[in-house]
Amino acid sequence: MDSGDRAARRLFFSAGLTCALAGLLVLGFMVVLGLPLIRSGMLWDILTGPWSPDHGQFGILAMAVGSVYIAGLSLIIAFPVSLGASLFIEVVRPRGAGRLLEWLVRLMTAIPTVIYGFVGIFLLVPLVRSFSGQGSGLCILTAALMLAVLICPTMILFFSRSIARVPRTWLDAVDAMGGTPYQKVRHIIFPAAWPGIVSGTVLAFGRAVGDTLIALMLGGNAVTLPESVLDSARTLTAHIALVIAADFDSLEFKTIFISGILLYVMTGLGILAARAAEKNL
Amino acid sequence: MIPSRVNGEACDRLMTLFCWGCALTLTLVLAAILGFLFFKGWHVLGPKLIFGEVRPLDALLFKKRVFSGLFPAALGTFCLICLAVGTALPLGLACGIYMAEYASNRVKSFFSLMVDILAAIPSIVVGLFGFSITVFLHHYFGGRILPCLGISGIALAFLVLPYIVKTTRIALEQIPLEIRMTGLSLGASPLQNLRHVLIPASLSDIMAGIVLAIGRCAEDTAVIMLTGVVATAGVPKSLFSPFEALPFFIYYTASEYSDPAELEAAYGAALILLAICTGLFIISFQIKRRYNSFN
């Protein structure tokens, strides 16, 4: 290996290290800026208390619950549809239609989230308002429905990839024994592809928790603990976007770094969980 | 055995029906979203939407300021893309090359975990990071640094970095062993092999990944919301000035519009952004399909 090769290797390594540390850098910045709050001993109040800046209360529990509520509901809506659609692409495979759907799903990944939010405001919100007959239509259900559309492609592509990885010979064996497609799915595909299905679901949940625009535009942004799907709620992401305009030195402002750390930890754990599931494949 | 057989057939039919139902639901939802946008927005599309009352050539040469068009926002988005991709590209390429060609298995799995975590960070948190950088710079440079185009570009670079790393790495790893070995067996050094054989061979996949990264920069709203985008700034003057961007215009107008004409402009902007993003997606898809020699 000559000196040019060695220099190039060193250069590539340092770039690699920079990329690897970039994620930690993001966390580091937030921890440093959130540190005054963590040190002040108010962390527990902030994580569990109510949000009422006028009374000196800066709890973000309602936002954390809002995030999980909206993301969870969108997952419940999107999961069956995604599973059905990925089985449609990989197992039912009607000629032409299967490929068309696959192409559409891929295309959906390119649609900006702000457009989902925009269409949501002018199309979905009035619909939800007239169906529910109460409130403004800006509520958990509206945000979750739109969010479900956003995370569907992630899940479908992940599911269909793990279904496609099931060895062809196993499926041929079922066919040879006279098994029906349903039996194939139940006894071969699900048992073999479940780790992929789990990790796809976890990643989609992370995407739903991490999305800002849809929850911000459609969720209504109330700061109280939500009780029903027709209640308005604020997510951690929307909270960051809304409080960023506050005075920098205020306690109110510092809570957004705690929100950021919380979001970081949630999505980071999601990645670890998805990887653990993949290892079982 | 006959009852169970009948049962099996029913299950089969039910499953097929369910899958068709899901596929149709999804297609209809997509059609409703796109159809709604087209129906509401297509008639505002035209030069007036982008350039307002100013002649396009005057606007493009910065002779006159565009007040009532999307031109400043479109230019802001364009600058953001150049800055973010320009920053992330060399770093991402080098990191991808290291992971695919040089790294030992342990280093590789550690790096890929870290890159996956970076990819999963919500974009608003990346925006918050960009904001924190501004706070630090503001502190150390005596208040001259405020949220601006440069900071947004750097923050967005963090957002697209993992995409570039991943596509570069996968593109290089896909190269078959015989191609990989030919150069080396002819006496090329690893670097020469990389430069003259491996990178040219995987260029189309890498390009496709870069085009997708451009789309990601064009659509992201959360990052720029925290790092310097504003509703009216005109054409960005320098790296240190606030700027406008298409996605932010859509978000802002949806909540703050004062008259129907403004809302119509937002529909137009949404259609343009949609066209840009799906257009980039299709370009990426075509590059991959047309020039890929390995699969």
Side-chain angles (χ1 to χ4, degrees), chain A:
Chain A
M1 217 190 254
D2 64 28
S3 63
D5 267 331
R6 221 166 285 153
R9 192 197 162 103
R10 218 167 285 152
L11 191 75
F12 291 142
F13 175 73
S14 43
L17 199 63
T18 314
C19 293
L21 296 181
L24 291 179
L25 190 70
V26 173
L27 184 62
F29 261 91
M30 282 186 305
V31 170
V32 167
L33 286 170
L35 210 54
L37 238 180
I38 298 171
R39 278 222 192 102
S40 71
M42 287 178 66
L43 191 61
W44 185 249
D45 290 342
I46 284 173
L47 289 179
T48 57
W51 177 265
S52 172
D54 296 340
H55 299 96
Q57 291 175 311
F58 301 101
I60 54 172
L61 180 67
M63 292 66 160
V65 171
S67 276
V68 175
Y69 204 149
I70 290 182
L73 187 60
S74 74
L75 208 59
I76 291 173
I77 299 166
F79 182 79
V81 178
S82 303
L83 198 61
S86 56
L87 288 176
F88 182 83
I89 292 171
E90 294 295 333
V91 182
V92 179
R93 276 178 174 286
R95 205 177 307 150
R99 296 217 50 183
L100 181 71
L101 186 70
E102 193 179 1
W103 203 84
L104 276 181
V105 169
R106 283 177 192 277
L107 193 69
M108 278 175 84
T109 61
I111 298 178
T113 53
V114 68
I115 286 184
Y116 286 126
F118 186 77
V119 173
I121 285 188
F122 298 106
L123 185 67
L124 191 59
V125 167
L127 280 178
V128 171
R129 186 168 45 213
S130 61
F131 270 111
S132 71
Q134 66 173 78
S136 61
L138 296 170
C139 61
I140 293 177
L141 180 66
T142 318
L145 280 170
M146 219 53 191
L147 212 47
V149 182
L150 178 79
I151 61 175
C152 261
T154 312
M155 288 212 265
I156 295 172
L157 293 176
F158 228 91
F159 292 178
S160 44
R161 207 183 317 150
S162 61
I163 292 173
R165 254 191 248 150
V166 176
R168 190 81 241 152
T169 45
W170 298 2
L171 303 180
D172 289 345
V174 178
D175 287 338
M177 290 190 292
T180 64
Y182 171 75
Q183 288 170 324
K184 202 157 50 178
V185 168
R186 200 181 142 201
H187 298 290
I188 303 292
I189 290 178
F190 279 163
W194 74 264
I197 291 175
V198 170
S199 69
T201 310
V202 171
L203 288 179
F205 184 75
R207 187 139 164 60
V209 167
D211 184 79
T212 311
L213 266 294
I214 290 177
L216 180 64
M217 293 170 94
L218 306 177
N221 298 318
V223 291
T224 46
L225 276 173
E227 277 162 9
S228 83
V229 291
L230 294 174
D231 279 353
S232 146
R234 184 188 282 195
T235 60
L236 287 168
T237 50
H239 182 65
I240 296 176
L242 291 166
V243 178
I244 197 86
D247 179 22
F248 177 69
D249 285 320
S250 63
L251 261 177
E252 188 180 355
F253 186 85
K254 299 227 162 58
T255 61
I256 66 176
F257 294 107
I258 307 296
S259 310
I261 295 171
L262 217 55
L263 281 168
Y264 189 102
V265 171
M266 275 163 112
T267 47
L269 288 178
I271 288 290
L272 293 178
R275 284 192 152 224
E278 285 274 284
K279 280 224 173 93
N280 281 321
L281 209 62

Side-chain angles (χ1 to χ4, degrees), chain B residues 46-120:
Chain B
K48 193 164 172 278
L49 175 67
I50 295 171
F51 298 107
E53 307 299 333
V54 181
R55 274 200 332 180
L57 198 63
D58 288 346
L60 285 173
L61 297 173
F62 305 116
K63 275 189 194 154
K64 282 193 186 138
R65 224 184 127 175
V66 177
F67 286 103
S68 60
L70 295 173
F71 180 64
L75 196 68
T77 292
F78 179 73
C79 293
L80 269 181
I81 291 171
C82 293
L83 268 172
V85 176
T87 316
L89 195 56
L91 206 57
L93 280 179
C95 178
I97 291 171
Y98 182 76
M99 283 168 74
E101 298 300 319
Y102 294 98
S104 65
N105 276 337
R106 277 177 65 186
V107 174
K108 193 160 152 178
S109 71
F110 172 69
F111 276 19
S112 81
L113 174 68
M114 293 312 289
V115 171
D116 275 357
I117 288 179
L118 184 63

